[in-house]
Amino acid sequence: MAAALNRSAFFNAARSQPFGGTLKQGQVTGMAAILDACPLDLDSDSLAYCLATAFHETARTMLPIKEYGGDAYFKRMYDPKGERPHVAQTLGNTVPGDGAKFAGRGYVQLTGRSNYRRATGELQNRGYLTREQDLTLAPDMAMTPDIAAAIMFLGMTEGWFTGRKLSDYFGATRVGDPFNARRIINGIDKAEAIKGYHTAFRAALKAAGHVPGATSQTIPTPPVQTAPVFLPAPRKPASPVATAPAAPSASSSLFGRIVARLTGKA
């Protein structure tokens, strides 16, 4: 069996870079959720890039966030009755109010009715959600760390967001390209900065002895929360900050179900 990931070493290294010497409770909780949900065969470069993406997209909180802006902004940007009906159509927003209801949420900003519907089907088919749990009916479920992390990993490995995927830029037999990997999410916007975060997270994973297929070492770390600590820095001074959603009802967490399947106790 491959060596276990030493999370204590990972957090110690990440505290230095990219976090600049300080780690908050929420940041540790968020990273623990991401590590818990990581596919066992994911290579270190790809995992580091997912962590770097979350670092950027969540304004360094490492917790799922909702896109900043009020209902008027979401209507203007994404609603069929807004100023960009062609964008609404692309996103599958067909009902007035869809712009606000299906605004961006999570580690990688899942946006639009069609994407919430797709994520629901993918997670249900893989056993991550029950058939009763539906992101189109309860969009704030995409804000819970375990579900948000599953969406991030599946979306980035399978090309849900732009058609580009992690294997286009990383892999055991190729030199990684963390600059152009930004195209998985959003062109090359902030690509150079995220490349730097990738370098830091890659070093932290190396310090922790990350090996694809490894099991996570059990060490004292804050438990993964069922509802996110919601402390984003607003993008616009006038934008209202949303409140944290209530945790969705479920018989067990995503991570618990994953562990059960892996250990044969499901």
Side-chain angles (χ1 to χ4, degrees):
M1 179 180 292
L5 175 68
N6 186 327
R7 291 197 183 187
S8 179
F10 171 78
F11 290 130
N12 285 335
R15 178 182 293 108
S16 175
Q17 292 296 334
F19 289 97
T22 303
L23 271 181
K24 298 179 180 179
Q25 169 77 44
Q27 291 167 329
V28 173
T29 298
M31 285 190 288
I34 291 172
L35 293 175
D36 288 344
C38 178
L40 292 178
D41 60 349
L42 196 67
D43 62 277
S44 297
D45 269 335
S46 294
L47 174 53
Y49 197 78
C50 289
L51 288 161
T53 296
F55 183 84
H56 171 73
E57 296 289 339
T58 68
R60 305 189 177 205
T61 67
M62 304 307 289
L63 289 164
I65 64 172
K66 183 177 180 180
E67 182 178 0
Y68 303 109
D71 286 353
Y73 171 79
F74 297 136
K75 178 179 179 180
R76 185 171 73 250
M77 297 296 288
Y78 307 131
D79 205 80
K81 297 295 186 180
E83 296 178 4
R84 305 193 304 167
H86 62 289
V87 173
Q89 183 178 18
T90 299
L91 293 172
N93 290 344
T94 58
V95 178
D98 277 358
K101 184 175 182 179
F102 299 110
R105 293 176 177 84
Y107 282 119
V108 288
Q109 299 295 282
L110 187 71
T111 307
R113 179 184 286 273
S114 292
N115 290 319
Y116 279 78
R117 183 186 299 117
R118 177 180 183 177
T120 295
E122 296 285 357
L123 294 179
Q124 286 179 344
N125 289 339
R126 299 167 204 266
Y128 297 162
L129 293 178
T130 69
R131 292 295 172 183
E132 290 73 33
Q133 294 174 311
D134 189 332
L135 297 175
T136 67
L137 299 178
D140 280 343
M141 286 176 61
M143 292 278 289
T144 58
D146 54 356
I147 294 174
I151 290 170
M152 177 177 69
F153 282 120
L154 289 172
M156 293 181 73
T157 57
E158 298 181 1
W160 292 5
F161 309 117
T162 66
R164 305 292 180 90
K165 51 187 182 294
L166 287 166
S167 61
D168 293 334
Y169 305 99
F170 305 107
T173 61
R174 64 184 302 166
V175 176
D177 185 359
F179 180 88
N180 282 300
R182 180 60 177 162
R183 299 181 190 276
I184 298 168
I185 303 296
N186 189 13
I188 56 171
D189 174 63
K190 306 298 182 183
E192 190 63 37
I194 298 170
K195 176 183 176 181
Y197 307 149
H198 170 267
T199 298
F201 279 116
R202 179 68 176 81
L205 289 170
K206 182 177 181 180
H210 179 260
V211 177
T215 57
S216 297
Q217 180 177 348
T218 300
I219 62 169
T221 58
V224 178
Q225 301 177 2
T226 56
V229 178
F230 197 72
L231 300 171
R235 295 176 185 171
K236 297 181 180 180
S239 297
V241 177
T243 57
S249 61
S251 58
S252 60
S253 70
L254 169 61
F255 178 53
R257 293 195 294 276
I258 293 172
V259 170
R261 288 202 302 274
L262 293 175
T263 58
K265 297 179 180 179

